[in-house]
Amino acid sequence: VGSHLCSGYSIDGTVSIIDPLASSDPVLIQAWPLQLNPTTQQILPITKRQVYGIDSDKPVATVKCDPISNERFHFSFPNLPAGNYSLFSFVDLTHRGVLTFERPEVPLGWFHTLPTCVGGSSSTLCTTPLELGPFKPTITADFTLRRTHPFKLAEGQVIKAANGALTKMRGFNVMHLWGTPYQRGYAHGYLAAAQIRDWWEFYILEELAQSRLAHYDDLVIPSLMRYLTLSPEFLDEVRGMVDGMQASGASTYSDLVGRRMKAEDVIAINAYIDFNYLGLGPLPNATLSLNAQARLRAEALGQRPWLARAPSSGSGAATRPGGPPSPGGTVDGEVDV
C-alpha cells in the first residue's frame, strides 16, 4: 500500500470515524482519477462497481492513514499528477486492501461537500471532484466514515420487547409485533433502532436527498408531507416507532442534518418511492410534470397555496397503511401494514 507516483501535486487531510469499531484494523484511502465525457467534457463520477473492485479500474494511489486517535486519522497523497480526483476511504477489516461485502459493518465514506457533488444514483457515488494543477497544487480534504449496524443474532436467539420479539430463523431475521398501532411501532423502533437510523442516513439522506441535503428540513420534508395522505393509525405507529428508538438507548442522531430522527424521517423511509415521483430524488423524473413539481415546492415553502395531491398508486407503504405488506419490509423501518 502506498503511492508510487512522482509529480508535484498533493492532497492531504483527516478522516474521522463515527461510532468506530473496537479494533486496530488499518484505515485505507484511495485516490480515484476522474475521466471526462468525450462529448460534453463533463466530469464522470466514480461508480460503486469501481470501489468494490468489480470493474477492472483501479485507484491511482492507495495509502494507509496514520492514527491521530481511535476516531481520527491523517492521510497524505504527496505526489499526484494534475487532474480531477475523488477520494474514497474504508476500514480494511479483511486486511486484503480491498473493500468487500464480507463485513457489512465496515466503516466507509467518500469526500463530498454537498451540494457540489458529481454523480449520485443507484450506480454512482456523489463525490466532490478535487482538481489538482498549477493553480491548485495542494488541497486539504477532511471527511467522515460511517458504518452500518447489522443484527448479530445467533440462530434461534430471541430478543424481546413489550409487544414485540426479534429472532433469527433459518438464517433470516424475523420480527413479530402485536398490539395497538402505537405499541407495534414502539416495539419495532426499540428492537431495530440502529438499523432504522442506518436506512435513514445511508439511503434517504445520502442516496436520495444528496444535493438537496442542505434543504432537507425546509424543503424536502415539507414537500413530502404535503403530498402524502396518512391515516391516524399509521401516524400512531410512526410516533410509537420514534419513541421506541429513543427508549432503546441507541443513538438516533445524524451529523448529516445535525439532529435526532423524528416522525417525518420515518415517514420519508416509507415514502422513498415518492421521492422520485416528486422530483426530489437523484433519478430523472417523468411522472409528475415540472410545473407540478414547482407548484408543490412553492406550497411547501409557503409561497403559493394549492390543494394537496392524493397519493398515487405507485406510492410507498406510507400511503397505503391498510394494504398488504411489501416483501422484505418491516425490519428496515417501514410500517407496511
Side-chain angles (χ1 to χ4, degrees):
V1 175
S3 175
H4 58 279
L5 303 168
C6 295
S7 192
Y9 307 118
S10 64
I11 302 174
D12 64 9
T14 59
V15 171
S16 300
I17 304 179
I18 295 177
D19 189 19
L21 295 167
S23 69
S24 57
D25 299 300
V27 178
L28 304 184
I29 185 165
Q30 301 169 332
W32 286 87
L34 300 178
Q35 307 301 320
L36 297 178
N37 183 307
T39 303
T40 65
Q41 293 300 297
Q42 292 182 326
I43 296 175
L44 296 174
I46 60 172
T47 69
K48 297 174 184 179
R49 291 176 60 92
Q50 285 176 303
V51 298
Y52 269 108
I54 299 173
D55 289 344
S56 59
D57 301 3
K58 302 294 182 184
V60 70
T62 300
V63 296
K64 179 180 176 181
C65 299
D66 297 318
I68 300 173
S69 68
N70 187 46
E71 301 177 357
R72 197 160 175 259
F73 300 79
H74 176 265
F75 70 89
S76 178
F77 292 101
N79 297 301
L80 293 174
N84 293 292
Y85 295 91
S86 283
L87 300 182
F88 183 84
S89 180
F90 61 95
V91 178
D92 186 14
L93 299 182
T94 64
H95 291 242
R96 295 207 299 267
V98 294
L99 185 65
T100 72
F101 290 103
E102 296 174 24
R103 300 286 298 275
E105 72 274 25
V106 57
L108 55 82
W110 49 93
F111 178 73
H112 61 70
T113 54
L114 296 175
T116 56
C117 70
V118 171
S121 68
S122 59
S123 61
T124 63
L125 296 180
C126 185
T127 65
T128 299
L130 300 173
E131 183 179 3
L132 287 175
F135 297 104
K136 192 176 286 187
T138 301
I139 294 177
T140 299
D142 303 325
F143 60 106
T144 300
L145 310 187
R146 64 189 75 247
R147 68 180 180 94
T148 59
H149 301 79
F151 292 113
K152 295 184 177 180
L153 282 76
E155 183 70 25
Q157 180 183 355
V158 179
I159 300 176
K160 295 182 178 180
N163 299 97
L166 178 67
T167 186
K168 175 159 285 188
M169 184 183 302
R170 298 180 182 178
F172 292 93
N173 297 310
V174 179
M175 183 178 288
H176 181 201
L177 305 172
W178 60 90
T180 66
Y182 180 88
Q183 290 171 334
R184 295 196 303 269
Y186 188 96
H188 189 166
Y190 188 90
L191 293 168
Q195 292 73 33
I196 295 170
R197 190 193 71 167
D198 285 346
W199 179 276
W200 177 50
E201 282 199 318
F202 278 93
Y203 191 67
I204 298 300
L205 298 181
E206 287 197 338
E207 183 81 4
L208 294 185
Q210 289 184 4
S211 61
R212 301 177 181 87
L213 191 56
H215 299 288
Y216 176 77
D217 280 323
D218 63 13
L219 175 58
V220 174
I221 288 297
S223 296
L224 198 63
M225 294 302 294
R226 285 186 178 271
Y227 163 75
L228 297 172
T229 302
L230 305 171
S231 71
E233 293 80 9
F234 176 84
L235 291 173
D236 281 346
E237 193 159 353
V238 168
R239 294 187 188 102
M241 187 176 296
V242 173
D243 290 347
M245 291 178 68
Q246 294 176 357
S248 73
S251 173
T252 62
Y253 177 86
S254 174
D255 65 300
L256 295 174
V257 290
R259 62 167 175 80
R260 296 194 302 175
M261 282 190 73
K262 56 185 181 180
E264 288 88 341
D265 304 315
V266 176
I267 292 170
I269 291 174
N270 283 262
Y272 64 89
I273 295 175
D274 298 274
F275 268 73
N276 290 318
Y277 182 81
L278 296 173
L280 297 172
L283 303 179
N285 183 285
T287 309
L288 195 62
S289 71
L290 294 177
N291 286 337
Q293 291 178 30
R295 287 164 54 203
L296 189 65
R297 291 173 184 149
E299 184 203 33
L301 293 173
Q303 297 170 350
R304 186 181 302 171
W306 65 294
L307 199 58
R309 187 180 171 90
S312 73
S313 59
S315 300
T319 63
R320 46 183 175 85
S326 303
T330 333
V331 176
D332 57 13
E334 291 188 75
V335 183
D336 293 318
V337 179

